Amino acid sequence: DAGVTQSPTHLIKTRGQQVTLRCSPKSGHDTVSWYQQALGQGPQFIFQYYEEEERQRGNFPDRFSGHQFPNYSSELNVNALLLGDSALYLCASSLVANAGELFFGEGSRLTVL
Amino acid sequence: SQQGEEDPQALSIQEGENATMNCSYKTSINNLQWYRQNSGRGLVHLILIRSNEREKHSGRLRVTLDTSKKSSSLLITASRAADTASYFCATVLMDSSYKLIFGSGTRLLVRP
């Protein structure tokens, strides 16, 4: 049973560019959440998708957008990259019926130069 | 500021000793969870305790929750070198069942 998979694992971009990160949830899960984790900090909630809709959003600008597909996989898009966007981006999946227990992928490490 | 804050920020113990980490939060919660993260990798769910529970056990882990003090503790008994990791508490608020709010974590080093 595959867990949460994310791609790519590492990537380097320059300021102003755009990036797309991808996530496949754990088998049987219908909800995908995205988190940003800066070095030495705890993860910060970006948004959550359920039934292909953004259900809740954290305190992130509109440059951060996402999508969930009918097979429950998800993408995170970040436009007009800033140096401060450098972080580990974590995808987590869950069942909507569960009170928040998350299964995380290994993350995508984004470096913005 | 973050909802949950762990204490201490870093902890170094000898293998076989117990490790205790504390978490404080600010607003009423639905549940509180503890996660573990090995060196910049994904987080692994350890244990969930609901707001109406006071204590839970899972293997060598013991979690307590004091809602009157808005605090929780994670005890790892008989620690092993493999327990070396960062440990995060995360809360699900009463007004939202959709997101976890993480603290800044405790970095645990277990010396062999």
Side-chain angles (χ1 to χ4, degrees):
Chain A
D1 178 25
V4 179
T5 59
Q6 292 187 242
S7 64
T9 55
H10 294 82
L11 69 166
I12 299 173
K13 294 285 187 178
T14 57
R15 281 177 295 176
Q17 285 190 314
Q18 178 264 344
V19 67
T20 297
L21 308 178
R22 296 176 176 82
C23 172
S24 293
K26 180 178 169 63
S27 177
H29 283 185
D30 55 11
T31 303
V32 173
S33 303
W34 287 92
Y35 287 79
Q36 179 196 66
Q37 186 178 25
L39 201 61
Q41 300 295 316
Q44 297 283 318
F45 177 77
I46 303 175
F47 42 52
Q48 184 181 82
Y49 278 83
Y50 171 66
E51 292 188 339
E52 303 179 51
E53 296 284 336
E54 182 182 292
R55 186 160 69 167
Q56 192 165 18
R57 188 180 184 91
N59 189 26
F60 279 80
D62 291 345
R63 298 186 298 108
F64 289 77
S65 63
H67 189 79
Q68 186 180 34
F69 300 94
N71 66 354
Y72 306 119
S73 67
S74 177
E75 288 182 350
L76 164 66
N77 300 290
V78 186
N79 295 322
L81 285 168
L82 304 174
L83 295 178
D85 295 331
S86 294
L88 181 67
Y89 288 86
L90 295 161
C91 171
S93 72
S94 57
L95 279 172
V96 68
N98 289 351
E101 180 179 344
L102 300 181
F103 291 77
F104 282 85
E106 293 295 328
S108 294
R109 172 75 63 187
L110 171 65
T111 301
V112 182
L113 302 177
Chain B
S1 62
Q2 293 181 305
Q3 156 80 332
E5 293 296 334
E6 287 90 341
D7 171 60
Q9 292 185 337
L11 180 61
S12 179
I13 60 173
Q14 202 71 33
E15 201 166 29
E17 294 181 337
N18 295 341
T20 299
M21 288 159 267
N22 303 296
C23 170
S24 60
Y25 58 91
K26 299 176 182 176
T27 57
S28 296
I29 61 172
N30 177 291
N31 66 69
L32 184 145
Q33 303 175 36
W34 286 89
Y35 287 80
R36 165 195 166 125
Q37 184 178 39
N38 286 357
S39 189
R41 302 189 63 184
L43 282 78
V44 176
H45 180 266
L46 295 176
I47 198 164
L48 180 154
I49 186 165
R50 303 187 190 284
S51 59
N52 61 352
E53 297 175 312
R54 292 297 168 257
E55 186 171 315
K56 283 191 81 170
H57 296 256
S58 177
R60 294 184 295 114
L61 305 180
R62 171 178 171 256
V63 169
T64 62
L65 178 65
D66 187 335
T67 53
S68 66
K69 295 181 179 179
K70 293 186 170 57
S71 67
S72 174
S73 67
L74 170 67
L75 169 67
I76 304 174
T77 60
S79 63
R80 307 165 182 168
D83 294 329
T84 294
S86 292
Y87 292 82
F88 295 90
C89 70
T91 54
V92 176
L93 302 184
M94 288 297 291
D95 63 351
S96 165
S97 62
Y98 303 145
K99 66 179 183 181
L100 289 182
I101 303 176
F102 285 85
S104 52
T106 292
R107 296 184 303 281
L108 174 65
L109 171 65
V110 181
R111 306 186 304 274

